[in-house]
Amino acid sequence: GNITKGELKEGFSQNIEFAKTMALLDVHLGDLDVVFNLLDADRSGSVSYTEFVEQLHKMKTQNTSTSFIFVKGLLHEIRSKCLEQVRILKEDIGSKTSKMTDMLQSVIYGGERLLEETCLLPVSVKVDQALGLRNADWCGKSDPYCVVEVLGKPDLKFQTPVVNNSLDPLWEFEKTLEGFVRGDSLVFTVFDQDPYKADDLLGRAVLSPEQLADCKANFEGNLDLQNEGKNQGTLKIKVIDPNQQLSSQTGGAQSGGAASDEIKKNLSLSGLADEFE
């Protein structure tokens, strides 16, 4: 038959002769795990009775090799336990690293959203003049006006006055758009006012976010007006962020400090600091 580790320990506790025999080999109850693991080379969980007796006889008659076997067995046990602890440690570190990465990303994205909400609010847009507009009238010249709007936000727009009978209208009209944030585009559309039919489209231009670098929202120059893929004159405009001028005069670090405080608050709420302690 076979002997399991439990049966081995039970025999040691209940069979006095067996316990005495093991004591002669300087094997005690706490050493039985090592002894059994040495005998159970295939890790099946049991050892044949014949093999156990033979190995026990060798241990009894070869005192010198017995010590070596025990040392080797103990080293094997230590190595196995160390490897298990390393595995557990790696899993724990990996779990905490993943958690901290998620928290950092949450804080970073939260900070970006905060900047998007506070940057470029508001902007002042000035439509100076147009040059070389198409003449859409049979009698006389076009009567142009310009509509300025934030792309995708129909409530954010304004219109210049109409300049009668001109292909180079001078408006010099300025207005502030509230609610303009980083990433928005400005659309400029020039129409010819007609009293008896729908107003004619003279040209359209778009000021992209890339042209409004970073958070400065400052642009001054000419935009090409397009209609049906053709150049239909130019539009001179100016875009200014009033907050930029104000912050440069009063110390623009204040708004940045508020964003920094918000990010620190996000860090505290996320519990990230505790993970590093």
Side-chain angles (χ1 to χ4, degrees):
N2 293 334
I3 300 174
T4 64
K5 186 184 293 186
E7 291 172 342
L8 180 62
K9 291 183 177 181
E10 183 179 354
F12 189 94
S13 301
Q14 297 181 3
N15 191 314
I16 298 176
E17 291 300 323
F18 178 64
K20 288 181 178 180
T21 301
M22 298 303 288
L24 292 174
L25 298 171
D26 197 24
V27 177
H28 304 283
L29 182 61
D31 302 321
L32 291 182
D33 286 333
V34 176
V35 173
F36 186 84
N37 289 337
L38 287 172
L39 298 177
D40 185 20
D42 60 357
R43 294 294 184 266
S44 64
S46 63
V47 179
S48 67
Y49 178 76
T50 301
E51 183 181 6
F52 176 76
V53 172
E54 290 177 353
Q55 294 296 331
L56 189 63
H57 176 72
K58 289 181 180 180
M59 292 172 65
K60 183 176 180 181
T61 56
Q62 300 176 11
N63 293 330
T64 302
S65 62
T66 300
S67 299
F68 174 75
I69 292 173
F70 267 98
V71 170
K72 182 179 179 181
L74 287 171
L75 289 175
H76 179 76
E77 287 294 314
I78 292 172
R79 179 177 180 274
S80 298
K81 290 180 179 180
C82 286
L83 290 175
E84 178 64 16
Q85 290 298 317
V86 170
R87 183 189 65 80
I88 295 174
L89 185 61
K90 284 183 177 179
E91 291 180 354
D92 185 53
I93 292 175
S95 176
K96 287 186 176 181
T97 300
S98 177
K99 186 177 180 181
M100 287 188 288
T101 300
D102 292 341
M103 288 181 178
L104 281 171
Q105 289 178 342
S106 176
V107 170
I108 292 171
Y109 294 152
E112 288 181 348
R113 287 194 297 271
L114 177 64
L115 289 175
E116 289 178 355
E117 292 171 359
T118 58
C119 198
L120 307 185
L121 178 67
V123 290
S124 178
V125 182
K126 183 178 181 181
V127 182
D128 281 330
Q129 67 178 127
L131 297 173
L133 295 179
R134 175 176 66 90
N135 189 3
D137 289 345
W138 290 99
C139 182
K141 298 179 181 179
S142 297
D143 305 310
Y145 66 91
C146 182
V147 176
V148 182
E149 60 184 319
V150 178
L151 184 64
K153 298 179 180 179
D155 294 335
L156 295 180
K157 68 178 181 179
F158 68 87
Q159 177 181 322
T160 70
V162 176
V163 175
N164 294 317
N165 197 36
S166 176
L167 300 183
D168 302 308
L170 180 66
W171 292 293
E172 293 186 337
F173 187 82
E174 183 175 355
K175 193 166 184 179
T176 298
L177 287 174
E178 303 285 347
F180 184 93
V181 298
R182 184 177 64 178
D184 282 342
S185 298
L186 284 173
V187 181
F188 299 84
T189 308
V190 179
F191 293 96
D192 168 42
Q193 185 183 58
D194 284 311
Y196 305 112
K197 62 184 181 68
D199 293 350
D200 294 318
L201 173 65
L202 297 181
R204 179 178 287 114
V206 178
L207 187 64
S208 67
E210 290 75 20
Q211 291 171 284
L212 298 171
D214 300 326
C215 294
K216 296 179 180 179
N218 293 328
F219 178 89
E220 183 174 5
N222 296 329
L223 299 177
D224 290 331
L225 293 168
Q226 300 288 324
N227 185 14
E228 297 181 353
K230 297 180 180 179
N231 192 344
Q232 301 290 348
T234 59
L235 185 68
K236 184 178 180 181
I237 65 165
K238 185 176 183 180
V239 180
I240 302 173
D241 178 6
N243 290 333
Q244 287 291 324
Q245 295 178 335
L246 180 63
S247 63
S248 64
Q249 296 171 1
T250 61
Q254 182 176 359
S255 60
S260 176
D261 291 342
E262 184 68 20
I263 292 175
K264 290 178 180 178
K265 180 181 177 182
N266 290 342
L267 276 170
S268 176
L269 291 176
S270 68
L272 183 62
D274 296 337
E275 292 294 331
F276 286 103
E277 294 180 353

